[in-house]
Amino acid sequence: MSERSIAVAFEKARAEERALLVGCMPAGFPTVERSIAAMTAMVESGVDVIELEIPYSDPVMDGPVIQRASDIALAGGVRVADALRVVEAVTATGAPVVIMTYWNPIEQYGVDAFARDLAAAGGTGLITPDLIPEEAAEWLAASDAYGLDRTFLVAPSSTDERLAMTVAHCRGFVYATALMGVTGARERTSEAAPILVGRVREVTDLPVGVGLGVSTGAQAAEVGRYADGVIVGSALVRTVLDAPDEASGLAALRALSTELAEGVRAVRS
Amino acid sequence: MTAPPLTSGTAAVPDAAGHFGRYGGRFVPEALVAALDELDREYRAALADPTFQAEFDRMLREYAGTPSLLYRAERLSAEAGARILLKREDLNHTGAHKVRNVLGQALLTKRMGKPRVIAETGAGQHGVASATAAAYLDLECVVYMGELDTQRQALNVARMRMLGATVIPVTSGSRTLKDAMNEAMRDWVTNVDRTHYLIGTVAGPHPFPAMVREFVRGIGVEARQQCLELTGALPDAVAACVGGGSNALGIFHAFIDDADVRLYGFEAGGEGIETGRHASSITGGSAGVLHGTRTYVLQDADGQTQESHSISAGLDYPGVGPEHAWLNDIGRARYEPVTDAEAMSAFQLLCRTEGIIPAIESAHALAGALRIIPALTAELGREPTIVVNLSGRGDKDMHTAGRYFGLLDERQG
C-alpha cells in the first residue's frame, strides 16, 4: 500500500472503531474557488475524505442534484485541469482526495498523463462509475505506474463471478452501490446494501464504502454499522445548490457535515 | 420473397465483448452489466430459435409491410445521369426503417418476460415507432424526450400519447436527444428487472450495436437480391444517411463482402463543417466515449459532449454507431458530410421528379449520391448504378420544408 492510498484513512477510522465519512462535491461548483472553500469546510466539519467529481456533460449515474451542480460548473467554464488544482488545494488541508469521474474526460486528457498529474497533485486515485475492469487496461497500467488507487463499482445485480473479478481489480477501497439507481437522497437506506457488503467481504479484505441515498446522520450511523465507509453526495451538494448565498450555503454544508460525522462516530458506541 | 434469416454469415465483428476494432465495448455502470449480459444471451438465443425468427418474419411481412420495394427512379435517373434505385423504406408501417428494429426488440422483450419498454427520442420518430410496437405487443411504454424537442415536435408527442405511451420531457443538460438518452439510461438502471431499454439505433453499450444491426440488416439483404433481379448485377454504390447509423448499417451489411460495391455514409453537415454547427461525428469529431460505447464523438478538448446541429432532427446526434467508426477506419465505407442546403435541394428534386416526399434524413443520402456520380462515372467509364436507402418519408418534415422553401402562409409559418 502506498502512503498516499486512501486505505491509510480507512485504517485510521478502523482504529477509532468507526466508519469513515466520504463527502462528494463537484469541482468548480459553483466556481473553482468556492468549491475549494466548500470542500475545506467539509473537512473542517469532520468529513474524512473528499470525493471530488469532475463535472461531465452526460453523467448517467447521477441524479438531478449532482447533474444540476455539474451543469453549473460546466457553464462556469471549469476544466479538467482545474479539478487537479482543486485536488492540490484540498489535499493541503490534510484530507485525502479521491476523484470520481466518468471515463471520457480522462481518455481525452490522456490516461497516463492524467494519472501522472493526479499523482503530482496529491490525489489518491479514481472512482470510475462508467468504467468496468474489462475496458480498463490503460487505466490499470497507469494506476500501477503512478501508485494510484482504483475503485470500481459493485452493484446488487453483480454476479458472484463479476463481483470477485471487479474486486480483484480494486485498490484502496471498493465502492458498493447500495441500490439499483442513480445518486440522490432517499428517505430509507437500502436493504440490499448490507447483503452486498457481505458478499464483498467474502472475497476481499479491502475496505468497503457504501454510496447512493445517504442524507442524514441517522442514515450514516445505520450504514456505518456494516460498511467501512459512508459515501454522501447529493445531500451535501444540495445544501450549496439550495442556499440563497455563499455564506448560508457554507453554514448549511458545515451543519450537515457535522451531523454526518457524528453519525459515523455513533456507529459502534 | 421471404424475409432473410436473422443470423448473419459475415458477422466477424464485433468480438464477444462487443468491440469493432478499437470501438464499441461497454462503458456503463456496473449495475447494468448483468442486464446487458442477459440481453446478449437472450438475443443470441432468439436468433437461433426458428420460432422467434418465424414470428419476427411474420410481423415484418404482415404488419410492417416488408420487403420494401426497390424502385427504379426513372425521371430522377435521367436528371442525375446515373441509374438510381430507391430502397423504399418510407413505405413501411410508421413510415421508416425503424419499425424493423422496434418490432425485433419488442418481440425480444416479450420473450424475456419483461412488461415494460423505455425509449429515447429526438424528433419523436423512434418514440412513435416504439409506442407503436408497444401497442401492438401489449407492452407498457415510456418515452424520454428532451423538453426542447417536445415543444418543437408537439404533434409527435400527441401521436405517442395516442398510441398509449407515456412521454416524459427531460429538463436536464441541453434538453435534447442526448439528454433523453441519459435519462432513459437512468430509468433503466433503476427498473432493469422489469424493463427493456429499446435503443433506437446501432449505438449504446454491447450488445445493442450488434443486436440492432441484426434486426435491420434485412434492408440490405432485400436490396441486394432485388438489385440482382432488377439489373442482373450488384450496384456500384450504396448510399445512406448516418446519424446514429441504423438505416445505413441495415443496408450496408449485406454488401460488406462485395468488394466492388462502394459504401457511402452521408452525415449531417448542418451549416458546414467549418462553421462548427453540424452533426458529422466521423468527419468533424474524434474518438471518445459516449452513451456506453467508444466511437466518434463531437466533443471539446476535455471530452465534454458538444451540441450537434442539423436541419434533420433524426441526424442531430453528437455520436455515431461504433461499427461505422470501424468501417471508416478500415476504409470499407466512406463517410462525407452533406449540408442542410444540399439535402434540401435533393429533397425538392425528388419531390418534383418522382412525386416522392422523402424524410430530410433520407434527402441527405440522396444529395450525397448525386454528388458522387461524376467521379464514379469517370472511374467506371459508364453510367453507375446507385442504391439509395430512402429510409423514411417526409410527412413529418413538412413544417420544416414549408418554412425552408417559403411555402407557408404567414400565420402558419
Side-chain angles (χ1 to χ4, degrees):
Chain A
M1 170 171 54
S2 87
E3 63 186 71
R4 185 193 294 121
S5 174
I6 203 168
V8 175
F10 273 103
E11 272 186 9
K12 182 168 162 282
R14 191 174 282 179
E16 294 172 10
E17 298 189 329
R18 65 176 179 90
L20 179 90
L21 177 61
V22 180
C24 177
M25 193 61 65
F29 162 69
T31 66
V32 170
E33 294 314 317
R34 285 175 63 182
S35 69
I36 293 172
M39 292 178 218
T40 304
M42 286 158 68
V43 173
E44 288 168 359
S45 308
V47 172
D48 297 300
V49 171
I50 296 295
E51 176 188 325
L52 179 151
E53 180 160 343
I54 296 181
Y56 176 53
S57 53
D58 297 275
V60 295
M61 260 302 276
D62 284 307
V65 170
I66 293 182
Q67 282 176 52
R68 268 176 59 209
S70 294
D71 286 346
I72 289 168
L74 289 171
V78 69
R79 303 289 309 268
V80 173
D82 293 323
L84 291 168
R85 192 153 65 80
V86 176
V87 170
E88 203 164 4
V90 178
T91 301
T93 67
V97 180
V98 57
I99 280 189
M100 138 65 176
T101 181
Y102 292 90
W103 193 240
N104 200 42
I106 305 307
E107 193 154 295
Q108 301 311 315
Y109 192 100
V111 178
D112 190 78
F114 188 84
R116 178 197 64 209
D117 293 352
L118 178 60
T124 63
L126 296 185
I127 300 166
T128 50
D130 65 346
L131 185 72
I132 55 177
E134 292 97 320
E135 300 285 355
E138 222 182 330
W139 166 234
L140 297 180
S143 52
D144 283 347
Y146 297 99
L148 293 168
D149 291 338
R150 51 183 186 238
T151 294
F152 297 102
L153 274 52
V154 295
S157 61
S158 304
T159 60
D160 288 345
E161 188 186 1
R162 281 198 61 78
L163 189 132
M165 182 278 293
T166 302
V167 166
H169 285 92
C170 289
R171 185 162 54 214
F173 79 108
V174 179
Y175 192 129
T177 49
L179 37 79
M180 299 296 285
V182 297
T183 60
R186 309 273 200 300
E187 279 178 20
R188 294 179 53 199
T189 53
S190 157
E191 289 159 14
I195 300 168
L196 179 60
V197 170
R199 291 174 62 206
V200 175
R201 293 208 193 285
E202 282 175 23
V203 294
T204 186
D205 293 329
L206 283 175
V208 188
V210 168
L212 298 195
V214 177
S215 61
T216 66
Q219 287 174 333
E222 186 189 328
V223 171
R225 270 191 270 282
Y226 58 84
D228 302 299
V230 179
I231 304 168
V232 182
S234 296
L236 290 165
V237 174
R238 185 189 284 280
T239 60
V240 180
L241 200 59
D242 289 350
D245 57 65
E246 184 179 6
S248 59
L250 280 179
L253 182 63
R254 283 181 193 278
L256 181 58
S257 299
T258 302
E259 179 189 329
L260 293 165
E262 284 166 2
V264 297
R265 281 167 178 78
V267 172
R268 287 155 205 172
S269 55
Chain B
M1 185 167 78
T2 57
L6 280 169
T7 33
S8 152
T10 51
V13 289
D15 66 14
H19 297 112
F20 302 87
R22 60 187 288 231
Y23 303 104
R26 277 182 187 165
F27 295 82
V28 292
E30 169 66 21
L32 284 179
V33 172
L36 292 168
D37 280 342
E38 180 199 12
L39 183 61
D40 193 32
R41 280 193 307 274
E42 291 280 348
Y43 105 83
R44 285 171 194 280
L47 294 189
D49 177 356
T51 317
F52 181 88
Q53 286 217 20
E55 182 62 6
F56 184 47
D57 178 26
R58 186 192 65 75
M59 283 162 47
L60 284 176
R61 269 186 295 108
E62 296 178 5
Y63 183 69
T66 71
S68 61
L69 301 174
L70 187 70
Y71 165 71
R72 187 193 296 243
E74 299 280 2
R75 288 197 62 217
L76 176 68
S77 295
E79 189 93 5
R83 180 158 60 183
I84 296 179
L85 305 174
L86 301 176
K87 181 61 175 161
R88 297 291 307 276
E89 289 290 298
D90 59 316
L91 297 177
N92 296 345
H93 179 46
T94 72
H97 74 287
K98 285 179 181 292
V99 70
R100 297 176 187 258
N101 174 38
V102 296
L103 286 179
Q105 289 198 53
L107 187 61
L108 189 62
T109 305
K110 296 291 273 190
R111 185 186 161 94
M112 291 191 290
K114 295 185 174 186
R116 179 175 182 263
V117 291
I118 55 172
E120 82 293 340
T121 197
Q125 293 309 108
H126 174 59
V128 169
S130 299
T132 301
Y136 177 60
L137 288 174
D138 190 21
L139 293 162
E140 181 190 346
C141 180
V142 173
V143 179
Y144 290 94
M145 187 170 185
E147 189 184 40
L148 275 184
D149 292 330
T150 62
Q151 292 159 5
R152 293 191 289 208
Q153 302 286 342
L155 211 53
N156 267 343
V157 174
R159 286 173 80 192
M160 287 183 263
R161 288 180 175 151
M162 200 71 231
L163 290 160
T166 303
V167 179
I168 301 182
V170 175
T171 56
S172 58
S174 59
R175 296 182 291 150
T176 59
L177 174 58
K178 78 173 182 67
D179 307 287
M181 207 154 169
N182 294 337
E183 207 55 38
M185 202 77 92
R186 293 180 186 114
D187 179 314
W188 203 34
V189 174
T190 310
N191 302 300
V192 66
D193 283 349
R194 56 187 298 271
T195 300
H196 174 65
Y197 179 15
L198 214 163
I199 289 185
T201 190
V202 286
H206 177 65
F208 282 103
M211 180 183 73
V212 173
R213 181 186 77 191
E214 287 300 320
F215 290 139
V216 295
R217 62 184 285 278
I219 304 169
V221 175
E222 291 167 16
R224 190 175 182 281
Q225 186 178 334
Q226 289 165 325
C227 186
L228 285 169
E229 286 166 3
L230 205 61
T231 72
L234 291 173
D236 299 301
V238 174
C241 64
V242 178
S246 66
N247 91 83
L249 213 52
I251 199 162
F252 285 177
H253 197 254
F255 295 98
I256 294 274
D257 294 335
D258 299 318
D260 291 338
V261 179
R262 297 152 186 80
L263 305 176
Y264 283 91
F266 294 103
E267 299 189 290
E271 295 169 19
I273 298 293
E274 66 288 351
T275 67
R277 292 177 58 80
H278 61 84
S280 300
S281 309
I282 294 178
T283 316
S286 54
V289 171
L290 178 65
H291 291 145
T293 191
R294 181 180 282 118
T295 185
Y296 281 98
V297 178
L298 298 182
Q299 57 186 331
D300 68 14
D302 273 0
Q304 309 291 351
T305 312
Q306 290 181 315
E307 277 185 56
S308 54
H309 297 273
S310 170
I311 193 168
S312 152
L315 303 180
D316 202 352
Y317 177 63
V320 64
E323 188 164 2
H324 286 295
W326 177 73
L327 289 172
N328 175 73
D329 284 15
I330 64 169
R332 180 60 190 97
R334 287 190 58 168
Y335 297 85
E336 297 178 4
V338 164
T339 63
D340 291 349
E342 290 173 296
M344 293 313 285
S345 165
F347 180 95
Q348 187 175 45
L349 180 68
L350 190 65
C351 292
R352 299 289 169 86
T353 56
E354 297 289 345
I356 296 171
I357 300 177
I360 298 177
E361 289 81 358
S362 316
H364 284 72
L366 186 60
L370 296 173
R371 183 202 288 162
I372 62 175
I373 290 170
L376 203 50
T377 306
E379 184 190 336
L380 296 166
R382 60 171 169 78
E383 194 170 82
T385 300
I386 304 175
V387 170
V388 176
N389 196 7
L390 205 70
S391 55
R393 69 176 182 226
D395 308 44
K396 68 184 177 60
D397 295 319
M398 283 323 299
H399 192 71
T400 305
R403 275 197 301 193
Y404 187 87
F405 291 111
L407 308 176
L408 302 176
D409 293 341
E410 273 303 302
R411 63 193 160 76
Q412 291 173 310

